[in-house]
Amino acid sequence: MRFRRALALGATTLAAIAGVLTGPVAPAQAAAPAPTAVAVTLANTIALNNCSASLVRFPTSVGTDSAMMLTNGHCYEGGFIAAGRVIQNVSSTRTGTLLNSSGGSVARVRANRLIYATMTGNDVALYRLNTTFAALSSSYGAVPLTISAAHPAAGTSIGIPSGYWKRVWNCSIDGFVTTLREDTWTWKDSVRYNAGCDTIGGTSGSPIVSTATGELIGINNTGNESGGRCTLNNPCEVSASGVVTVLQGRSYGQQTYWFTTCLSATRTIDLTVTGCLLTKP
């Protein structure tokens, strides 16, 4: 899992490659402008003491609703959540530091309730903060990430901003894993990143943001560190037929549109809603 670990970060070097055209070039018709990519920054991410998180809203949220903070279930302040367990609507005093686009501290935010958390089927923890979206916007200009209601697509360009490290990973979605298994936990329809997208310890809970829409389309949670087979920090992929595949160095995230399948008319999580995908107790 991409829980806090003692790792040194190296500097990232970018190489620019220039293309050279030789010979006569025929006039070309003007091409339609390419869609403008959304710049993914650290704005509205949250640094926790051991993980990353973000300020989020449902597609139907309104300004007077209580603000929400999203991170991984394995970042829960009570420790790893046992396989098969779901936590709902319990008191919390979890705090974090809300960041601006460059990673500067904007404010301390505090939860008053853990709305939903699990490490089974998914790896998520959604907190209710003790303030509203409107208050955070008025005081700090904070704009929550909107949780997309759609399943993401393979090939999507993504940014993974980590509040813990104050760094953004620029990657893409390579595909989806029927079952991702790590130690005693299993996750369904997991997001696999492109090779080379090596998120590290402390990036747990970072939002996966589409550069096409700016919406939150997943949550970063783990990666295979040493080539182990289905062990802690070494998740394995399990196909529908039970074939196990180990991809050392590959990193993964989990689905978040599941939250939108479980919303009541009053914008609260209701696991009895028809079609709700979140794991039930």
Side-chain angles (χ1 to χ4, degrees):
M1 300 176 199
R2 294 316 198 194
F3 200 61
R4 180 186 63 187
R5 292 177 289 139
L7 284 180
L9 290 179
T12 302
T13 303
L14 299 178
I17 302 175
V20 179
L21 295 177
T22 59
V25 180
Q29 292 183 336
T36 302
V38 175
V40 177
T41 72
L42 293 166
N44 307 301
T45 60
I46 297 171
L48 301 176
N49 65 326
N50 60 347
C51 287
S52 301
S54 58
L55 183 68
V56 300
R57 66 183 293 274
F58 301 131
T60 54
S61 293
V62 298
T64 52
D65 288 344
S66 295
M68 296 182 294
M69 177 175 72
L70 179 66
T71 188
N72 284 145
H74 74 260
C75 297
Y76 169 54
E77 62 268 38
F80 287 178
I81 302 169
R85 185 184 178 203
V86 172
I87 303 172
Q88 281 187 279
N89 296 317
V90 297
S91 298
S92 175
T93 57
R94 192 73 188 271
T95 61
T97 303
L98 182 67
L99 305 180
N100 61 22
S101 61
S102 60
S105 299
V106 171
R108 290 290 289 175
V109 292
R110 179 182 294 274
N112 56 23
R113 184 157 295 273
L114 177 59
I115 300 172
Y116 177 93
T118 191
M119 287 177 62
T120 300
N122 210 318
D123 185 11
V124 288
L126 184 66
Y127 291 86
R128 186 183 73 190
L129 302 181
N130 63 356
T131 187
T132 65
F133 291 118
L136 288 175
S137 175
S138 176
S139 298
Y140 311 110
V143 179
L145 292 168
T146 298
I147 299 174
S148 173
H151 188 293
T156 298
S157 294
I158 55 175
I160 307 173
S162 167
Y164 184 87
W165 287 114
K166 300 179 175 60
R167 174 184 167 189
V168 180
W169 276 254
N170 295 300
C171 305
S172 64
I173 295 177
D174 178 62
F176 302 94
V177 182
T178 301
T179 298
L180 191 68
R181 182 179 299 156
E182 182 172 338
D183 198 39
T184 61
W185 298 278
T186 56
W187 303 304
K188 302 297 183 181
D189 197 19
S190 300
V191 179
R192 183 201 305 116
Y193 310 145
N194 61 290
C197 181
D198 185 20
T199 54
I200 62 177
T203 62
S204 285
S206 298
I208 303 171
V209 182
S210 166
T211 63
T213 66
E215 291 184 317
L216 186 151
I217 58 174
I219 185 169
N220 180 68
N221 81 311
T222 194
N224 188 294
E225 297 180 0
S226 58
R229 181 184 171 96
C230 314
T231 59
L232 188 63
N233 298 321
N234 291 289
C236 61
E237 301 184 10
V238 185
S239 71
S241 60
V243 176
V244 174
T245 302
V246 173
L247 297 176
Q248 183 175 356
R250 295 302 280 269
S251 298
Y252 302 89
Q254 303 305 319
Q255 300 283 353
T256 50
Y257 82 95
W258 291 10
F259 283 110
T260 69
T261 69
C262 304
L263 291 181
S264 70
T266 56
R267 304 176 301 283
T268 57
I269 297 295
D270 181 354
L271 301 183
T272 68
V273 170
T274 301
C276 174
L277 294 174
L278 290 174
T279 304
K280 284 78 173 174

